[in-house]
Amino acid sequence: KQEVTQIPAALSVPEGENLVLNCSFTDSAIYNLQWFRQDPGKGLTSLLLIQSSQREQTSGRLNASLDKSSGRSTLYIAASQPGDSATYLCAVPNFNKFYFGSGTKLNVKP
Amino acid sequence: NAGVTQTPKFQVLKTGQSMTLQCAQDMNHEYMSWYRQDPGMGLRLIHYSVGAGITDQGEVPNGYNVSRSTTEDFPLRLLSAAPSQTSVYFCASSFSSGNTIYFGEGSWLTVV
């Protein structure tokens, strides 16, 4: 069974900092990885999807990288803003099942 | 452009009662799934479907039933509610397991 781990569980940073969130997975035979954002009391919103053939995917201030061989993905957030405060989750598929990490709760202080 | 719609948003049940959580999507997605989210445990897959008439179990299927009679709808049935089923339930859909996943807003269920 695929195990997905996200470290740290929580992170508090001042506004303007660049930061990195980590996601690791045990089975490297994945064909993609997705990063999501979850606001309190809301569903998950997909931020980035990286196919296994890609190493990076960018959207605005977000950049996600994928290293299948080491079982790791990182989500880089540039110039963080208070509006980035949310929980960030990663997910990997295994055939028709998705496995999620427990998330990193980010607080960006004004 | 509704996306994935879940109802109800909040529900309180008594132990032993049954109920159905509704999920509908208007994106013509073949893949639909149900998750529960509990503190410290992340999202866990309950059941999923790869198309109308096809369903399969996820990680935590006990106590839940699903059916998929149409592409649009994927209801989740709690057969006999137990306090351990108190959770937030999310429905999700995508074209396939290799594509972007879209989530509903969630259904908060409390079993007393």
Side-chain angles (χ1 to χ4, degrees):
Chain A
K1 178 193 165 189
Q2 179 75 271
E3 300 283 345
V4 182
T5 304
Q6 291 187 246
I7 295 174
L11 184 62
S12 184
V13 300
E15 181 176 6
E17 270 203 10
N18 302 323
L19 55 100
V20 175
L21 307 181
N22 298 293
C23 172
S24 60
F25 44 93
T26 54
D27 185 349
S28 62
I30 63 171
Y31 46 88
N32 67 48
L33 182 144
Q34 295 191 45
W35 281 94
F36 295 86
R37 169 184 173 137
Q38 184 176 28
D39 293 292
K42 298 290 186 180
L44 282 71
T45 300
S46 181
L47 297 172
L48 290 163
L49 183 154
I50 314 176
Q51 300 293 349
S52 61
S53 58
Q54 299 174 303
R55 292 188 63 85
E56 287 190 2
Q57 187 71 261
T58 299
S59 176
R61 294 183 293 109
L62 306 179
N63 176 276
S65 66
L66 175 62
D67 185 344
K68 280 182 56 178
S69 60
S70 67
R72 292 182 180 181
S73 176
T74 60
L75 179 66
Y76 175 83
I77 303 177
S80 58
Q81 303 170 358
D84 295 330
S85 298
T87 298
Y88 292 81
L89 299 96
C90 62
V92 293
N94 186 332
F95 296 99
N96 286 316
K97 298 180 181 179
F98 287 92
Y99 294 90
F100 284 79
S102 296
T104 294
K105 187 174 182 178
L106 174 65
N107 178 36
V108 180
K109 298 172 289 185
Chain B
N1 190 8
V4 180
T5 303
Q6 288 183 235
T7 57
K9 192 166 180 69
F10 299 99
Q11 183 72 48
V12 178
L13 283 180
K14 294 182 179 179
T15 298
Q17 286 184 321
S18 62
M19 76 158 298
T20 300
L21 299 177
Q22 301 291 344
C23 176
Q25 51 90 11
D26 61 358
M27 298 173 281
N28 202 30
H29 286 168
E30 291 293 330
Y31 184 89
M32 296 186 73
S33 52
W34 277 101
Y35 296 85
R36 57 178 291 173
Q37 186 175 36
D38 302 291
M41 303 195 72
L43 278 88
R44 292 180 292 168
L45 181 64
I46 304 171
H47 285 286
Y48 66 95
S49 168
V50 297
I54 306 169
T55 63
D56 206 346
Q57 297 180 349
E59 292 180 82
V60 288
N62 293 340
Y64 307 94
N65 271 358
V66 291
S67 60
R68 185 95 180 269
S69 56
T70 67
T71 299
E72 295 78 20
D73 300 297
F74 191 44
L76 178 72
R77 298 183 186 85
L78 280 71
L79 308 173
S80 178
S84 61
Q85 293 178 303
T86 293
S87 187
V88 184
Y89 292 85
F90 289 99
C91 179
S93 75
S94 63
F95 279 112
S96 73
S97 61
N99 295 96
T100 299
I101 309 170
Y102 296 85
F103 279 83
E105 290 285 287
S107 295
W108 274 253
L109 177 66
T110 301
V111 183
V112 298

